[in-house]
Amino acid sequence: MHLIVKRGRGPARTERPAVADPALSRRSALLLLPAGLLALATATVAERVTGEVGAAARRAFDTAGSLARSLVPTPSARVDTAGRARLSRAVVAAMGGRSTVIGVSVLDRRTGVWWHYRGDETVRSGSVSKVLIVAAALRKARAEQGRLTTAQREQARLAITRSDNASADALYTWIGGHAAVAELALALGMVTTAAAPSVEQWGLTRTTPNDLVRLMERLSSGSPATHPDDDAVLLSLMAQVVDGQRWGVGTVRTAAVDVHVKNGWMRVDDPWVINSVGDVRGGGRDYAMALMQRAQPDQDSGIARASRIGRAVFGALEAPLR
């Protein structure tokens, strides 16, 4: 699409790559909860109690899940390890030098180490928001009618695999627009995305590279906010993206390397945003990744840079990130 929104630019500033160690595992999250709350949060207890006690148990279970999901990594000020320094050099080189308009976030699932460069900077989502739209549609359908209708399943397929805007528009309207996206984002721990200003058009949704990695991790490892069958459906669609749209994170796909990917490109914010989110498994790698670029001069150069960054991350992660 070619929506143009002119926005002012803030002063340029030099940024250093940041390193974050994630607290994504539910086991680690639950260790932080009070013992009494944990007892109520178990499905076994919840299933055995009824009436008001049962309701309290279910509320406690929801609270436990929310607290577990709310844990986010915090930047580390310590000196990079050799692996993090290698990844940082590779990404900065692929960007063409340090940049104030590009953000990259990488979670190495082999070690649980999460590295980012400007990963908390908000950028217009473009079509990467279609992942959230389809996830919200699957969630609404399961709650209200069991599953998407035949027409809606086709809309979901086209929105992800071909980035079809009309299909995304239809699903966005059906779920209730930005409010539904923000509600799901909050439930998934995407706090910055959830708190972003409301927008009428889905492509203007603001998110961050780190929030997009959180999204991929929830889809991959599961979340109380979504059903595992729906997560599997969405990931399957992200594995079927047409060849011409499998750049960025997806550019490293081969017969031996599987990728899930959704890219976004949109003429907005002086003048293009070029984004990519997904994960990579194979060739000894297993990682989730997102990159977001604003103020790109044109679509082609932004896509080419996104693919260079995608290849650079794959190469730098030959050895596990520590």
Side-chain angles (χ1 to χ4, degrees), residues 239 252-260 279-283:
V252 298
R253 179 179 180 268
T254 67
V257 177
D258 296 325
V259 301
H260 302 112
D279 62 17
V280 175
R281 288 187 176 92

Side-chain angles (χ1 to χ4, degrees), residues 1 12 17 32 60 69 94 97 103 145 147 156-157 166 202 213 220 225 235 242 253 263 284 301-302 308 310 318:
M1 64 184 303
L32 300 177
R69 292 191 304 273
Q145 62 198 43
R147 62 183 301 185
R157 185 186 71 83
W202 44 261
V213 167
S220 177
L235 288 171
V242 295
R253 179 179 180 268
N263 294 326
S301 64
R308 288 198 303 271
E318 181 177 5

Side-chain angles (χ1 to χ4, degrees), residues 169-319:
D169 288 343
L171 291 175
Y172 191 66
T173 299
W174 181 68
I175 63 175
H178 180 86
V181 169
E183 179 183 1
L184 177 57
L186 182 61
L188 292 171
M190 304 171 65
V191 178
T192 303
T193 307
S198 179
V199 294
E200 293 295 324
Q201 207 285 332
W202 44 261
L204 298 178
T205 303
R206 288 190 176 275
T207 188
T208 70
N210 283 347
D211 267 5
L212 291 176
V213 167
R214 290 184 183 97
L215 171 60
M216 289 306 303
E217 199 59 14
R218 302 312 185 202
L219 292 177
S220 177
S221 62
S223 163
T226 57
H227 193 280
D229 291 347
D230 296 337
D231 297 342
V233 167
L234 184 46
L235 288 171
S236 175
L237 292 176
M238 293 178 72
Q240 301 174 50
V241 169
V242 295
D243 289 345
Q245 297 180 17
R246 203 183 291 123
W247 39 265
V249 177
T251 196
V252 298
R253 179 179 180 268
T254 67
V257 177
D258 296 325
V259 301
H260 302 112
V261 67
K262 181 69 192 84
N263 294 326
W265 57 101
M266 188 177 189
R267 192 170 185 183
V268 61
D269 288 347
D270 297 331
W272 286 89
V273 293
I274 308 291
N275 306 324
S276 183
V277 60
D279 62 17
V280 175
R281 288 187 176 92
R285 281 81 162 171
D286 186 358
Y287 61 90
M289 175 183 171
L291 65 92
M292 305 192 75
Q293 306 173 99
R294 63 176 179 82
Q296 297 302 292
D298 58 77
Q299 181 178 354
D300 290 344
S301 64
I303 289 175
R305 184 178 295 103
S307 293
R308 288 198 303 271
I309 296 171
R311 288 189 293 269
V313 169
F314 185 85
L317 292 183
E318 181 177 5

